[in-house]
Amino acid sequence: MTKNIPIYVETAGRSCNGCTKCCEGWLSAEIYGYKMSPSEGGCKFLGHCGCSIYPVREQLCKAFQCGWKENCSLHENLKPDICNAIIMNKRIEEYSYVRLIPAGIIKNYVFEWAEEQARLGKHVVGYDNDGEFVIYSNDKKFKELIKKEYAVTV
């Protein structure tokens, strides 16, 4: 079972610097009674310059950790508003992995990066631009756990 630790931790990472992909409706959430999702659209409180209620935003928003923001070693071109993928760091049993959430048409270099991560012994999962679920990993047990977790056949 996936362990999602929704504890907000002030990190020494980067700022959003204008990126609002997590608020644009690519993720599913309910913010103060308003739903956002790929089918329902973005957050009602998303303004031209970001969150219009930032000082009083939901705990869910405070807890969300963008993998690109957290990990300063990730290249600038993996910033969600540049590559069209939201990067989330996840865990399943003893495995750490990266989940790619499409936020538009994902740039091809993101998939190349994911393949390189698998060659380095790391794990990346997500959907490609054709809507197919892809697991980038060389670990058979990890692949089986992910297939069960996301109820997919790959």
Side-chain angles (χ1 to χ4, degrees):
M1 180 175 212
T2 300
K3 293 179 183 176
N4 187 4
I5 304 170
I7 299 171
Y8 179 71
V9 178
E10 200 66 52
T11 66
R14 320 177 234 218
S15 73
C16 299
N17 198 20
C19 180
T20 58
K21 287 291 187 180
C22 63
C23 307
E24 292 176 12
W26 302 105
L27 303 174
S28 297
E30 188 169 313
I31 311 299
Y32 289 120
Y34 296 97
K35 292 182 180 184
M36 72 172 200
S37 71
S39 63
E40 298 174 279
C43 180
K44 176 187 180 342
F45 303 103
L46 177 60
H48 293 291
C49 297
C51 181
S52 63
I53 60 165
Y54 190 82
V56 293
R57 68 197 184 283
E58 283 261 15
Q59 182 58 35
L60 176 75
C61 301
K62 291 176 184 176
F64 177 74
Q65 295 292 311
C66 170
W68 178 84
K69 275 185 59 181
E70 285 182 318
N71 186 346
C72 292
S73 70
L74 291 178
H75 193 276
E76 180 73 17
N77 69 3
L78 291 172
K79 183 179 177 191
D81 64 346
I82 295 172
C83 72
N84 289 326
I86 298 169
I87 295 172
M88 297 176 66
N89 296 313
K90 308 284 271 179
R91 287 197 57 77
I92 188 167
E93 292 192 12
E94 70 269 23
Y95 298 96
S96 294
Y97 68 99
V98 169
R99 170 90 194 273
L100 296 175
I101 310 286
I105 305 289
I106 299 174
K107 305 286 172 127
N108 285 333
Y109 63 79
V110 175
F111 303 117
E112 293 166 5
W113 170 81
E115 290 170 358
E116 177 64 21
Q117 295 306 299
R119 284 192 290 276
L120 295 171
K122 298 179 182 175
H123 317 289
V124 180
V125 302
Y127 289 90
D128 66 16
N129 286 326
D130 295 323
E132 297 293 321
F133 193 78
V134 184
I135 303 171
Y136 298 95
S137 175
N138 295 320
D139 188 298
K140 186 176 179 178
K141 180 182 175 191
F142 174 77
K143 288 180 178 181
E144 291 304 315
L145 288 168
I146 291 296
K147 287 177 189 177
K148 287 179 188 172
E149 179 71 19
Y150 293 98
V152 295
T153 56
V154 180

